[in-house]
Amino acid sequence: MLIAHLSDPHLCPPGALYQSVLDPAPRFARALAQASSFRPDLLILSGDLTEHGDAASYAHARDLLAALPCPVLAIPGNHDDREAFRAGLSGLPNLVPLPATGPLHAIAEGVVRVIGLDVTVPGDHRGQVTPDHAAWLDATLRSAPDTPTLLVMHQPPFVTGIGYVDAYRCFGDTLLAQVLSDHPQVIRLLAGHVHRFTLTSFAGRPALTAPATATSLALRLAPGAKPASFTEPPAMLLHLWRDGGLVSHLQAVGKFPGPHPFF
């Protein structure tokens, strides 16, 4: 099973620029096309599908996603509007179903199960795992204890060392770790939000953030560093399940010199 993982496209209304710098739609379209070339069984979108949470941007997203040959599991981020997200993507035929009310949790069943956990706090940039989140997740995991499972969130529940994004991480991490401690079938935690690839461990299992298809966050690790971004090539993650194990690949989006006949 192959899962493509894209994040943070920050789509804007047609003709508008993201942060007055670039049109994010062509970058997202190229990422979708390149992801499709790998013939994935599922595409994950881990939040911030739009920049402003407006209907025009969701309509644009729906048009781009409708051409994909695989199911799409999408959760909102802090720049999304939950109800506009729900309404805007509701007509997408390949979308993993979203609940009609409440948080936009989503579940894709398969050889590997993928659970999208909507932890975004409306009107805030941070995420929060609440007792309601924990109860839903615990019950959902108990329903398939023997299926390898990926947990997808927007804001990561760990510190990256980039102070200006860590202030808006997902809080309630102790509660989340307590839930995961009872469910060893969760083999990886996936997130977005950071606009960079990061790798650490959380609750004893690998935890990754996917890069953005919009701009990349500057890697500034000094305390008190000011926020900044760069227009780097977009990138994605590819998660391959084979022979009872999962390997994750970081793939840049674009056309580069090669292939060269050497290893």
Side-chain angles (χ1 to χ4, degrees):
M1 182 176 184
L2 181 64
I3 299 168
H5 179 188
L6 277 64
S7 198
D8 295 87
H10 288 267
L11 294 176
C12 298
L17 299 181
Y18 170 60
Q19 298 292 337
S20 301
V21 171
L22 56 79
D23 183 352
R27 293 166 65 91
F28 185 48
R30 289 194 298 271
L32 290 174
Q34 191 159 330
S36 296
S37 72
F38 289 97
R39 300 175 182 255
D41 300 288
L42 176 71
L43 179 88
I44 294 170
L45 293 172
S46 55
D48 281 356
L49 184 56
T50 69
E51 172 68 359
H52 303 295
D54 60 288
S57 296
Y58 288 116
H60 196 181
R62 187 175 60 244
D63 291 343
L64 292 171
L65 295 171
L68 290 176
C70 65
V72 175
L73 184 147
I75 58 171
N78 52 294
H79 282 267
D80 289 304
D81 177 271
R82 185 174 284 158
E83 296 310 316
F85 187 105
R86 194 190 325 261
L89 297 187
S90 62
L92 189 62
N94 52 346
L95 184 71
V96 173
L98 297 172
T101 60
L104 296 176
H105 307 319
I107 306 170
E109 305 287 358
V111 177
V112 175
R113 194 183 197 206
V114 182
I115 297 175
L117 186 67
D118 176 9
V119 297
T120 293
V121 178
D124 203 336
H125 288 299
R126 65 187 172 90
Q128 181 73 49
V129 174
T130 67
D132 286 344
H133 287 97
W136 180 88
L137 181 59
D138 181 65
T140 301
L141 290 169
R142 289 188 187 282
S143 69
D146 299 320
T147 304
T149 300
L150 308 181
L151 178 62
V152 184
M153 307 162 66
H154 179 62
Q155 296 92 339
F158 53 83
V159 171
T160 67
I162 306 172
Y164 47 82
V165 74
D166 289 336
Y168 304 115
R169 67 187 183 277
C170 180
F171 295 87
D173 46 296
T174 300
L175 183 56
L176 178 61
Q178 289 171 350
V179 174
L180 296 183
S181 68
D182 293 331
H183 299 287
Q185 77 269 31
V186 179
I187 58 173
R188 197 148 302 180
L189 189 149
L190 306 173
H193 190 55
V194 180
H195 287 223
R196 297 192 64 84
F197 172 75
T198 65
L199 169 64
T200 186
S201 62
F202 180 83
R205 59 215 78 195
L208 296 75
T209 62
T213 64
T215 55
S216 299
L217 199 68
L219 184 57
R220 293 183 171 180
L221 302 176
K226 293 183 179 180
S229 295
F230 288 95
T231 308
E232 297 177 2
M236 72 183 82
L237 297 180
L238 294 165
H239 309 289
L240 177 64
W241 174 264
R242 181 177 291 170
D243 300 327
L246 187 77
V247 61
S248 295
H249 298 269
L250 173 64
Q251 173 63 46
V253 173
K255 294 184 178 180
F256 306 100
H260 304 294
F262 55 79
F263 175 39

